[in-house]
Amino acid sequence: MTTAAQPDSHPADTGPYQSYVYAYPHKTAYRRLPDRPSLRTLWAREPKDALSLYLHIPFCEVRCGFCNLFTRIGAPDGLTTAYLDALERQATTVRAALGDTAPVRFATAAFGGGTPTFLTAAELRRLCDIAEHRMGADLRAVPLSVEASPATATADRLAVLAERGTTRLSLGVQSFVDSEARAAVRPQRRADVEAALARIRDTDIPVLNIDLIYGIDGQTDATWLHSLDAALAWHPEELYLYPLYVRPLTGLDRRRPGPDPAWDEQRLRLYRLGRDHLLAHGYVQHSMRMFRRADAPPQGADDHACQTDGMIGLGCGARSYTAGLHHSFDYAVGTHEIRAIIDDYTARPAADFAHAEYGRRMTPDEARRRHLLQSLLQAEGLAVAGYRERFGTDPADDFGPELRRFADRGWLERDGGPERLRLTADGLAHSDAIGPALFSPSVRAAMAAYERK
């Protein structure tokens, strides 16, 4: 049995918007690995029959004001080719490290960024070839999700993606109101967004996801509903509703210093308004952010909820997961530092990709925390029997103080029957406080000590 340390403070003490937890531990808790363990050793005892594959493209045509992802604006002549060359070298080396003594099969695939559709149609074909011919992923036989922006969702690119098996296209719209897009430092016109959506609907890609953001300066209840209705007019199979965050070193960083209770209240109000609007239009809530049309085809796990491991990330902004180690390349947000990391990546020989360089070891306690928080943050909650089977303990024994605290706030309930721990409607609304409250003290300390760059 493990005993979880009590969080430093109750989530309600620090506000509802602490951090979007899509992966745990966060990359700011990663550190350089002095022993540079070999990938062959890391994967030697891992199951490899249902792996996830992620290819990262770190380029965008513009950097949104809220963005703290690992991406750079534009690419000088030859850089995308050099990047794909390096990606192919990495894929060849990683696939060799997986070995041939046990079957290697990929169950899901995704292209993210950055903006994968920043690549030309020919470069997208090459990206798919790397996934298929170097890694052995059958893209036409598994769910394949690709992120795009309105400006890069061109007919030729979409045709390549559809032909190569893309099952889900996620379009970052954020707002259908031009003034709100400008306020978020995302210069775009609604007419161009609508044209991109029309092109997507002309393809054979079965699932369209539209990303929207609430909490933008100048946004009102009426303009938020306007954006929601504009999105609903396209009958998207999925909608993600994101609260606006202002992170260090981003374009909006200097505009909102310190805590802002009024902004928190605005975001909570707009979240509830958007949630209720989508539920009334036949969508089912799968997490705080994710809503799926009731008749939409399933697409596998939601919100990167990898309860088990087996994630292979290729590209300088991707992360990989084994049971004992999460690892990636160095992480940065600042423009100069990102460019340096990309330049280093493109210059590497194949042999340099055979080792893990930055990461975090996963202790049994961290594995429990990861399973708990990534399960709780899904609307279906945590299957207690599955937790017991995996870890040999009960979540109430491992995380009793935290779970009681959430329940006392009215954020958590325990269902009978096939026993589950689920967040209530109010609990889902506070997901961005609940997730960080489950971080271990050592992960919090590492994140606090991270030197932003």
Side-chain angles (χ1 to χ4, degrees):
M1 180 186 302
T2 62
T3 302
Q6 181 173 319
D8 297 333
S9 61
H10 187 282
D13 296 338
T14 49
Y17 295 103
Q18 296 302 304
S19 178
Y20 171 26
V21 183
Y22 63 91
Y24 178 79
H26 190 271
K27 284 175 77 171
T28 54
Y30 291 11
R31 294 293 184 270
R32 186 181 290 277
L33 301 167
D35 56 338
R36 297 181 72 241
S38 75
L39 300 189
R40 187 175 293 275
T41 299
L42 290 174
W43 284 101
R45 298 179 180 273
E46 297 286 316
K48 295 182 276 286
D49 58 343
L51 298 173
S52 297
L53 178 64
Y54 176 78
L55 276 65
H56 181 259
I57 303 300
F59 306 110
C60 288
E61 74 273 16
V62 66
R63 183 159 191 149
C64 303
F66 51 83
C67 178
N68 70 337
L69 299 178
F70 186 95
T71 188
R72 64 163 289 168
I73 301 169
D77 287 346
L79 183 56
T80 54
T81 297
Y83 186 84
L84 290 172
D85 288 346
L87 196 68
E88 188 159 8
R89 292 194 298 274
Q90 184 187 12
T92 302
T93 300
V94 171
R95 180 59 187 84
L98 295 178
D100 297 312
T101 58
V104 175
R105 186 182 74 86
F106 291 93
T108 64
F111 302 158
T115 307
T117 49
F118 180 91
L119 300 178
T120 66
E123 289 170 334
L124 284 171
R125 288 191 191 93
R126 186 180 178 194
L127 185 68
C128 293
D129 286 344
I130 291 170
E132 292 183 339
H133 305 321
R134 297 302 181 187
M135 291 304 300
D138 187 350
L139 297 182
R140 294 175 181 85
V142 301
L144 170 60
S145 179
V146 181
E147 297 172 2
S149 67
T152 61
T154 57
D156 59 340
R157 292 176 170 101
L158 294 171
V160 170
L161 294 176
E163 192 275 328
R164 299 303 288 265
T166 301
T167 57
R168 177 180 182 271
L169 197 289
S170 181
L171 193 72
V173 174
Q174 320 314 349
S175 177
F176 283 85
V177 179
D178 289 354
S179 61
E180 291 179 2
R182 289 193 298 272
V185 194
R186 185 182 179 86
Q188 65 186 22
R189 297 184 307 153
R190 177 172 175 175
D192 296 330
V193 172
E194 301 277 1
L197 287 165
R199 291 191 295 270
I200 294 166
R201 280 313 200 192
D202 284 342
T203 71
D204 293 327
I205 298 172
V207 173
L208 165 65
N209 172 71
I210 296 176
D211 288 346
L212 297 175
I213 284 181
Y214 54 92
I216 300 170
D217 283 347
Q219 192 175 50
T220 66
D221 293 10
T223 62
W224 176 229
L225 289 173
H226 178 77
S227 278
L228 289 166
D229 285 335
L232 289 171
W234 292 95
H235 306 289
E237 284 72 25
E238 295 178 0
L239 278 159
Y240 271 71
L241 309 185
Y242 289 94
L244 179 65
Y245 275 97
V246 174
R247 295 304 194 192
L249 304 180
T250 63
L252 296 177
D253 184 17
R254 293 177 296 278
R255 299 190 184 184
R256 194 182 295 275
D260 190 337
W263 190 35
D264 286 347
E265 181 55 38
Q266 179 207 22
R267 286 181 289 179
L268 271 176
R269 186 185 72 253
L270 294 174
Y271 159 77
R272 290 170 175 143
L273 183 64
R275 174 198 63 195
D276 294 347
H277 197 64
L278 295 186
L279 295 179
H281 281 78
Y283 285 76
V284 177
Q285 185 170 17
H286 288 259
S287 71
M288 174 187 172
R289 288 164 171 76
M290 195 275 192
F291 296 80
R292 180 179 290 139
R293 215 175 66 204
D295 61 345
Q299 285 292 296
D302 300 327
D303 285 357
H304 308 278
C306 305
Q307 312 302 2
T308 55
D309 301 293
M311 168 72 79
I312 292 179
L314 302 178
C316 57
R319 60 182 100 199
S320 299
Y321 306 144
T322 65
L325 180 73
H326 290 190
H327 66 93
S328 67
F329 295 96
D330 198 5
Y331 171 71
V333 176
T335 300
H336 177 76
E337 289 77 8
I338 287 176
R339 290 181 176 182
I341 293 170
I342 292 173
D343 289 344
D344 172 76
Y345 176 83
T346 59
R348 287 171 178 251
D352 274 11
F353 295 118
H355 301 268
E357 296 193 0
Y358 287 82
R360 188 166 186 89
R361 303 283 181 182
M362 293 297 290
T363 65
D365 175 69
E366 297 292 13
R368 285 170 163 82
R369 289 179 182 278
R370 178 170 179 252
H371 186 104
L372 175 69
L373 70 86
Q374 291 197 316
S375 297
L376 280 187
L377 298 184
Q378 301 298 308
E380 67 179 5
L382 171 72
V384 175
Y387 183 98
R388 290 193 192 110
E389 181 179 359
R390 182 176 181 189
F391 299 112
T393 56
D394 191 285
D397 295 332
D398 296 338
F399 300 99
E402 292 93 331
L403 298 179
R404 284 192 295 273
R405 209 171 290 125
F406 299 152
D408 290 345
R409 293 288 302 178
W411 293 348
L412 183 68
E413 59 189 7
R414 193 161 192 149
D415 288 351
E419 195 175 7
R420 283 187 175 272
L421 291 172
R422 300 181 196 270
L423 295 183
T424 63
D426 198 36
L428 281 173
H430 288 82
S431 293
D432 286 4
I434 289 171
L438 290 170
F439 291 4
S440 71
S442 61
V443 163
R444 291 188 197 181
M447 293 174 68
Y450 173 77
E451 184 177 348
R452 297 188 182 109
K453 55 188 177 182

